[in-house]
Amino acid sequence: MLNLLTAEKIKLRRSKKLWIVLGILSLLPIFQVANSLTAVHYGNELVQPVDTVINGATGILMIEKNGLTILLVIGAFISFLIGEEFQNGTIRNALSLGRSRTHYYLSKLVVAALLSLVGVIILTALGMVSFSIAFGFGEVAGINHYFSYAIQAFLTLYVLILSNVSIYMMISFLTKNSGISLIWTFIYTIATGFGAPIFLQTEHFKQLTYWFSLSFLFYSDFAKSADIGKFPEMILVSLITIVLSSAIGILRFTRTDIK
């Protein structure tokens, strides 16, 4: 497992994909603070429930503000990371050396999880700094213990992202092709992100809406006390998603014929 992770580290250092992902996530906060400054200049007022991030303190919610963009960027990265291994045949090299398929799958998952973590830390830190410079650090309305809240909000948001990273890994190992994986990753994100609330229109199936972690990410206000109270439920749904998707991905990968 450690040898696989070391090999991944060497490959990623030479990969342009890594720097493209980090570049996009680094530029997003800069672009958004410039956009907010322009809006205020023309007389608009920033409102937290609508704009999500309005000062340095609410910058902790940068993951929520950019949830869809983060997922699409990470999803594309994972699709190419895994798909190219199958298409170029490099996956056979590791497996021919006797590496466990489970360890191989988990090493890819660890890489994707670490990249996601680094990316959202950079995104959040730059968001907090840039919005503090432009609008002051301020506060989050209704929050008395900011540090504790910030830690909980960030961890919950990251676990929600991680649950979808796990789904993208499963899709990539099932499809074994960068292009097909990319298409299914986008379909999954859009369908579950924007389609799950359809269940809310029915009396008997509305609870199904929050079986999808994307529903929490897209439709919750992480600065609202009622939604803050759902943090444990969000983490539980995310962990169940990670375990189930990883189990399915590993099981199917161990039975896959590698040509």
Side-chain angles (χ1 to χ4, degrees):
M1 182 80 176
L2 289 176
N3 291 336
L4 288 170
L5 289 173
T6 302
E8 292 296 334
K9 180 181 175 182
I10 295 171
K11 281 192 285 188
L12 279 178
R13 279 181 176 176
R14 301 170 181 172
S15 172
K16 292 181 181 178
K17 296 188 287 292
L18 170 68
W19 302 111
I20 291 173
V21 170
L22 294 180
I24 293 173
L25 297 183
S26 300
L27 289 175
L28 265 179
I30 310 299
F31 170 77
Q32 286 171 341
V33 76
N35 189 47
S36 296
L37 280 170
T38 304
V40 171
H41 176 74
Y42 284 102
N44 295 318
E45 181 183 357
L46 299 181
V47 181
Q48 192 278 322
V50 176
D51 298 292
T52 306
V53 176
I54 60 171
N55 56 29
T58 53
I60 196 66
L61 304 177
M62 288 300 290
I63 300 175
E64 180 191 2
K65 184 178 179 67
N66 298 285
L68 179 60
T69 304
I70 294 171
L71 291 175
L72 293 180
V73 170
I74 297 293
F77 171 81
I78 292 173
S79 295
F80 286 108
L81 177 72
I82 307 302
E84 287 178 354
E85 296 278 6
F86 281 99
Q87 290 171 250
N88 297 334
T90 51
I91 193 170
R92 286 175 305 189
N93 299 334
L95 298 182
S96 64
L97 294 173
R99 306 299 183 198
S100 160
R101 292 196 181 198
T102 300
H103 287 173
Y104 186 86
Y105 186 100
L106 292 176
S107 68
K108 294 291 185 183
L109 181 59
V110 169
V111 167
L114 288 176
L115 173 64
S116 304
L117 178 61
V118 171
V120 296
I121 286 176
I122 292 173
L123 175 85
T124 304
L126 287 177
M128 295 180 77
V129 170
S130 56
F131 273 87
S132 292
I133 293 172
F135 302 103
F137 188 75
E139 61 183 9
V140 181
I143 301 299
N144 297 322
H145 304 286
Y146 178 75
F147 184 74
S148 173
Y149 160 75
I151 295 295
Q152 291 179 53
F154 179 83
L155 290 177
T156 303
L157 284 163
Y158 172 66
V159 173
L160 288 172
I161 292 291
L162 188 58
S163 68
N164 289 282
V165 166
S166 178
I167 292 284
Y168 298 157
M169 289 292 299
M170 180 189 72
I171 291 174
S172 294
F173 272 93
L174 293 182
T175 60
K176 299 180 284 185
N177 180 285
S178 300
I180 297 174
S181 173
L182 191 64
I183 292 170
W184 278 110
T185 293
F186 286 0
I187 290 175
Y188 167 80
T189 304
I190 293 170
T192 56
F194 299 103
I198 293 174
F199 292 122
L200 287 175
Q201 308 304 319
T202 64
E203 181 62 29
H204 299 293
F205 297 104
K206 61 183 180 182
Q207 290 301 323
L208 290 177
T209 303
Y210 293 103
W211 287 15
F212 299 95
S213 55
L214 274 177
S215 298
F216 290 115
L217 187 61
F218 287 179
Y219 302 107
S220 299
D221 182 351
F222 287 76
K224 186 178 177 182
S225 58
D227 290 333
I228 292 172
K230 294 180 180 177
F231 281 1
E233 182 183 351
M234 296 181 190
I235 293 174
L236 177 62
V237 170
S238 298
L239 293 179
I240 291 174
T241 303
I242 293 169
V243 171
L244 287 179
S245 58
S246 297
I248 294 171
I250 291 172
L251 184 62
R252 291 299 301 271
F253 180 49
T254 55
R255 297 180 177 180
T256 299
D257 183 24
I258 307 296
K259 297 180 180 178

